[in-house]
Each structure stands twice: as C-alpha cells, then as structure tokens.
Amino acid sequence: MAATSESTIVDGGAGADERWTAPAESPVTVVAHDLRMRYQVLRTDRERRKGWAGKVARKQKVSVSALRGVSLTVRSGEFVGVIGRNGSGKSTLLRTLAGLETPSSGSVLTSARPVLLGVSAALIPDLTGAQNVKLGALAMGLTPNRADEVFESVVELSALGDSIDLPMKTYSSGMAARLKFAISLASDPSILMIDEALSTGDATFAERSTRAMDSLLENAGTVFLVNHAAQTIENMCSRAVWMERGQVVLDGDAVDVARKYRWFAHNLAQGNEEKAAVLLRDAMEEGEPQRGAAQLAKPAVLDVERSVDRGEQAPEFEPDPFTRVYDREFSPPKKSFPGMSSSDEEA
C-alpha cells in the first residue's frame, strides 16, 4: 500500500469558492488578552487501599488548565474557525468570549453581546418547534411583533419541514441543533459563536446556513465556528485558530492553518507520534511572532498559579502526551514517545 503524502491530505476539494473573504479593514469587535482558565477538581486513584485512611487518600485535588494565555483580536466581517483536538480548549474559549465563563485571569472586550448557539435560546422539550421559535425569539430580546415577523424565515432556515409542529423532545440532536441555530440568527447578532452545530444536517441545511452567515457577515457581523472537521473550516472561514492544550498554535489564513492541522492530525491518527510532535513543535515556532503581536500588553508576571494561596494549590494534572512539546523550549518529546532519542531532529 502506497504511503500517504502530505499533499494528499492537505489538498482541499471543492468549496474554495464558498469560503468567506474578510474585508481588508474593519472595526474591532472582540479582544481577548492573556486569557487563562484553571479548574481545580478531584481525581480518584483507582488503586485500592485498605482501611478508612486509604479511601480518603484515593481522593486528590488536581489543577487542570483549560486556557493558557490566549490572546486574540477579531474584526467585523471576519469568519473565524477554531480547530484542535478534543480537550484543546476550543469550547472553553468560546464560552469565555461569550461571557458565560469567568477566566481565572485575563480580559475580554466585545463591541456587542455575543450570542453562543444553544445557550441564548431557552427551549422547552415539551413544546413544539414552532412554539419554541417564538419563545426563543422572545428570550433573545425580540418584541412579540418582531418574533412573528421572523417566524417563517427561522422555520425555513431550520429545514425541519412539517416536523416544526412536533414536540422538540421528538427531535434528534441534529434537528434540535438546526433549530437553535436558526433561532440564534433571528436576532441578527453582531457576534455569533457556533460550537459544532453546523456539522449536523443535510445539504439543504448546509447551503441555507452558509447563505445566512454570509448575510450576517456582509452586515459587518463576526462569526466564530468551532468544528473538528478541518475541511469545513478551510471551506467556510476566512481565518482559523489552531488550539492545542489551551494555547494558540497558529492563527492566520484558514486554508493554511487548516491544512497544517490536518497533516498533524493525520500523522497522529496513523500512530506517527514522533512525526506529529515535530509538526506541532514547528507550528508553535511558526506561530510565535503572531502570538507575541496579539498581546495588548506584556502579560502580568504573576501567573494564575501564584494568585492562589500556596497552601491550597493543587498539583498540575497533565494527561496529554504532547505536553512536553510546550516545555523545554519546544524540544521534541522524549519520555512521552518511546524510541525517540534526544538527538532526533528529523520527522
């Protein structure tokens, strides 16, 4: 079987003409400066110990970092895709930007209240889709008359057909996500954040949702899209942010970033961990100038760990084999990847 080449993986198919092109200059709508998010949770040791003291010792408080100094500046008319592996901090970043999570440190400034898909629309499973359209529109601040005016356009965008008159509890997760997306656009948000919702639905919904977001962007809106499919980000977005372990790896043109991420993910999926580690290290080095330029000011000397009383500080929990890529000045992992010597510099 022939080996898969990088060009085979990164070459995108059709869809280049569908990709949104951001304006050259436009006002700033979202600014994030040195965002850090740290959770302290209990970890259970599965090793059995005898006696009461052993049971108590099985519980250990550990500290998990979800965001590690993320800085972004986004302008109106930009369609920003956020990609990365599971646990890389994509959804946490969106929730923090939307104001639903308070960061451990850092700042978020927005020109308008962001709408995070699936959160702003308060839907009730026992009500029909049609009833939830009106309820969701009212919950997002529309007047009753305006809610009636946008009803038909929301139903059309959701592509639910006659199912709009069925209770929402009978909907599949994809149908519910499509309805929430359609309701979110009803308020004509200036800043829309979408977490994986566009991966559901058929070609009809995909085409309608793309047109709806293009219309939003043409009216000087800003869209964030989290999606595991790098091809979707490449085809739809004007800009992509690759996240890994709570940090920004690359931030730039959607095609360039998505293809580099896809080649990294392909090697990781094929078990080529040493190659993937080197690709990630190289991408981190390439993105270093951009990360520095994104900082509004020099980060505070006091890190999140130092803001917590030393007596209450929990040990850092690092289950990810790629953690060493970010330590030791981007040197390739050593212990995490068996068989890789410290002198290995090649893929």
Side-chain angles (χ1 to χ4, degrees):
M1 182 176 179
T4 305
S5 66
E6 179 177 1
S7 60
T8 303
I9 298 298
V10 302
D11 282 346
D17 293 339
E18 302 173 5
R19 191 165 70 99
W20 174 259
T21 301
E25 295 183 2
S26 57
V28 172
T29 55
V30 178
V31 174
H33 173 61
D34 199 29
L35 291 181
R36 297 175 186 270
M37 179 70 74
R38 181 177 293 274
Y39 303 100
Q40 291 198 2
V41 296
L42 288 177
R43 182 190 183 194
T44 302
D45 187 353
R46 289 179 293 172
E47 182 180 350
R48 292 191 174 275
R49 295 183 175 90
K50 296 181 179 180
W52 177 83
K55 293 181 179 180
V56 174
R58 292 181 63 192
K59 298 287 186 179
Q60 179 191 22
K61 181 177 288 188
V62 296
S63 182
V64 179
S65 292
L67 296 177
R68 303 168 183 258
V70 175
S71 294
L72 296 169
T73 299
V74 183
R75 299 178 178 275
S76 63
E78 282 195 296
F79 194 163
V80 182
V82 185
I83 54 177
R85 298 187 298 152
N86 288 331
S88 61
K90 305 184 302 297
S91 296
T92 301
L93 175 61
L94 249 62
R95 291 182 61 84
T96 304
L97 295 178
L100 301 175
E101 295 270 3
T102 302
S104 302
S105 65
S107 304
V108 177
L109 302 174
T110 62
S111 61
R113 182 179 178 180
V115 173
L116 179 59
L117 176 58
V119 175
S120 296
L123 307 185
I124 299 178
D126 290 331
L127 298 182
T128 67
Q131 291 171 322
N132 272 295
V133 169
K134 295 184 178 181
L135 175 64
L138 293 173
M140 295 180 68
L142 275 66
T143 64
N145 289 338
R146 181 58 180 163
D148 291 336
E149 292 174 2
V150 302
F151 177 81
E152 292 299 333
S153 61
V154 171
V155 174
E156 180 182 2
L157 176 58
S158 69
L160 291 177
D162 293 338
S163 297
I164 196 68
D165 294 315
L166 297 177
M168 267 201 68
K169 62 184 178 182
T170 65
Y171 288 7
S172 66
S173 58
M175 293 169 69
R178 285 153 52 185
L179 183 60
K180 292 176 182 178
F181 171 74
I183 294 173
S184 296
L185 286 182
S187 64
D188 194 22
S190 298
I191 304 172
L192 177 64
M193 299 180 176
I194 307 166
D195 194 348
E196 294 290 347
L198 295 186
S199 60
T200 62
D202 53 19
T204 300
F205 173 71
E207 182 179 350
R208 290 177 181 177
S209 62
T210 300
R211 289 202 307 264
M213 286 189 294
D214 284 349
S215 176
L216 186 155
L217 290 164
E218 287 172 355
N219 293 323
T222 302
V223 176
F224 289 82
L225 171 63
V226 165
N227 201 298
H228 283 90
Q231 186 69 59
T232 300
I233 299 295
E234 180 179 337
N235 289 345
M236 298 183 65
C237 301
S238 60
R239 173 181 171 185
V241 176
W242 172 5
M243 294 195 65
E244 177 72 24
R245 191 173 163 261
Q247 291 185 348
V248 173
V249 177
L250 282 176
D251 179 359
D253 179 73
V255 172
D256 181 55
V257 174
R259 292 183 178 183
K260 288 178 179 177
Y261 170 74
R262 191 157 64 247
W263 181 231
F264 157 77
H266 169 75
N267 278 276
L268 192 60
Q270 295 298 313
N272 301 326
E273 294 182 336
E274 295 180 10
K275 173 68 173 179
V278 174
L279 291 171
L280 182 57
R281 179 200 62 188
D282 292 345
M284 284 291 295
E285 292 177 341
E286 181 183 343
E288 181 62 29
Q290 186 281 327
R291 290 192 296 275
Q295 293 282 353
L296 296 180
K298 185 177 181 180
V301 175
L302 294 179
D303 202 350
V304 180
E305 295 92 334
R306 302 181 186 178
S307 65
V308 181
D309 183 80
R310 289 295 181 180
E312 300 178 358
Q313 184 174 342
E316 184 80 4
F317 181 59
E318 299 289 9
D320 195 313
F322 280 94
T323 55
R324 295 181 183 274
V325 175
Y326 293 92
D327 301 331
R328 305 183 185 181
E329 298 181 353
F330 309 129
S331 61
K334 296 178 181 178
K335 296 181 181 179
S336 298
F337 297 91
M340 186 176 186
S341 65
S342 58
S343 61
D344 287 338
E345 295 293 338
E346 298 179 357

